[in-house]
Amino acid sequence: MDFSENSPGCDVPELSEITVRRSSRCRRIGVKIKNDRSIELTAPENTPEKVLLETYAKFKPWLASQLEKLAGLPEEDQAYKFEFKVGGRFFFCGKSYELQKAEKSGASVITLHEDCLLTPSEMPGSIKLMLEAFYRRHARRLITGKLEEYSRKFGFAMPQININGARGRFGSCNSRKELNFSWHLAMYPMELIELVILHECAHFREMNHSPSFYRVLAEYLPDHRQRSKELDKWSRKLSLYPR
C-alpha cells in the first residue's frame, strides 16, 4: 500500500482499506504499522464494527505521525523494491549486487562474480527460485563457519542447524539445542548475522529472554544492543522481498 505525503502528516487509510484480524485470544484492540507500511488492526473476535471504527479513528493521529516519520527516513533506510529481472539489484552480506545475464554459461544456479550476480535465466520466476537457492546455500555456509568459530571460542558443542524460509523470526533454539536460521539472513551485513547466531547460542545457557539471558549475550557480544538497532533498520529495508 502506498502512502502519499500530505500536510500535516501523511494520509491514513480508512478501516476498510487495512487488514483487520479478529482473534478469540485477543483481549483489546491494537494497531501496528508493518515494515511495508501497511496497517494491521487486531481485535477481540466479537468486537462490533462500530467499536472498531470509533477506536480506529482515535488511532489515526498517531498513525499519521508515524507514517510521516517513515516517509522522512533517509533513502538508505527506505524499504527496497525488488525486481526479479536482469538489471535488478539484490543484497548479499549487506552489499548490493546487480543481477546480470551469464554469457555462454552451462550453470543452472545464480553465482556471485566479483561485483555482480550472474543468472543463467532471464525469467522472473526462475530468477526468484534460483536466488532462494543461492541464499540458502550461502546462509548455511556463513552460519556454519561462524558456529565453528564460536563453539571453539565459547566452549559449547557444535550444534545441529536447519535453514528455513522464516520471515519474522531469523533464528530459534529448541530444548535439544538445535538451531534454526532463516535464509533471508544471507542478505544482511555479517555483523548482524553474527548477532542472530550469538543470540541463539546464548539460549544454550538461558532458554528465555530474562535479564540473565541478556547478560550472557553481553558476554558474547558487548555491542548487541547497537547491532539490534541496525538489524531493525535492515529489516525495514528488506521487508518488501516477495514471499
Side-chain angles (χ1 to χ4, degrees):
M1 187 179 296
D2 293 324
F3 298 101
S4 58
E5 291 187 65
N6 198 0
S7 182
C10 291
D11 291 334
V12 178
E14 296 303 320
L15 183 66
S16 59
E17 300 175 288
I18 70 168
T19 299
V20 177
R21 298 191 185 280
R22 299 171 184 264
S23 171
S24 58
R25 293 179 294 177
C26 185
R27 293 290 175 265
R28 60 180 181 179
I29 299 174
V31 68
K32 67 178 180 180
I33 301 174
K34 301 173 75 173
N35 283 331
D36 62 0
R37 301 192 193 180
S38 63
I39 296 172
E40 180 176 286
L41 182 141
T42 55
E45 196 166 32
N46 298 317
T47 306
E49 190 72 14
K50 180 182 177 181
V51 174
L52 291 180
L53 286 165
E54 291 173 349
T55 306
Y56 184 62
K58 294 177 182 178
F59 280 122
K60 277 190 170 184
W62 177 81
L63 289 169
S65 67
Q66 295 304 304
L67 290 170
E68 184 176 26
K69 288 179 183 178
L70 289 172
L73 287 173
E75 185 177 348
E76 61 268 22
D77 292 335
Q78 299 279 359
Y80 183 79
K81 294 183 179 180
F82 294 90
E83 295 183 283
F84 293 92
K85 65 180 184 179
V86 171
R89 301 193 71 88
F90 297 89
F91 294 89
F92 176 62
C93 286
K95 183 180 176 181
S96 173
Y97 293 88
E98 182 177 320
L99 188 68
Q100 296 182 7
K101 180 71 169 66
E103 298 296 335
K104 299 180 181 179
S105 171
S108 59
V109 296
I110 285 176
T111 56
L112 180 65
H113 180 74
E114 296 180 355
D115 60 350
C116 67
L117 292 169
L118 295 178
T119 173
S121 172
E122 297 184 65
M123 298 178 63
S126 296
I127 289 172
K128 187 173 186 293
L129 289 173
M130 287 189 293
L131 273 170
E132 178 176 337
F134 171 85
Y135 287 132
R136 279 185 179 273
R137 66 178 180 270
H138 282 286
R140 181 173 292 278
R141 175 182 63 82
L142 293 167
I143 292 168
T144 298
K146 280 296 175 181
L147 281 169
E148 289 173 347
E149 174 189 336
Y150 296 145
S151 66
R152 293 191 299 268
K153 183 176 181 179
F154 299 115
F156 54 75
M158 182 67 185
Q160 179 179 327
I161 71 167
N162 176 57
I163 304 299
N164 59 37
R167 293 295 297 265
R169 194 174 190 182
F170 294 121
S172 64
C173 174
N174 64 28
S175 60
R176 296 185 298 277
K177 296 185 178 179
E178 298 167 338
L179 302 182
N180 297 286
F181 295 100
S182 171
W183 59 259
H184 291 267
L185 276 174
M187 300 185 213
Y188 287 71
M190 200 64 221
E191 61 267 24
L192 303 184
I193 298 175
E194 293 171 346
L195 167 67
V196 174
I197 295 171
L198 286 173
H199 180 107
E200 299 312 323
C201 290
H203 283 308
F204 294 163
R205 291 168 59 183
E206 294 287 340
M207 285 295 292
N208 51 53
H209 287 109
S210 66
S212 296
F213 166 83
Y214 285 103
R215 283 193 290 270
V216 173
L217 182 55
E219 289 178 27
Y220 291 166
L221 201 62
D223 66 342
H224 69 91
R225 295 187 188 282
Q226 180 57 41
R227 294 198 197 198
S228 292
K229 292 178 182 177
E230 288 299 311
L231 183 62
D232 288 341
K233 288 182 180 180
W234 272 88
S235 295
R236 288 195 295 270
K237 186 180 186 71
L238 302 179
S239 62
L240 296 184
Y241 193 95
R243 295 184 180 276

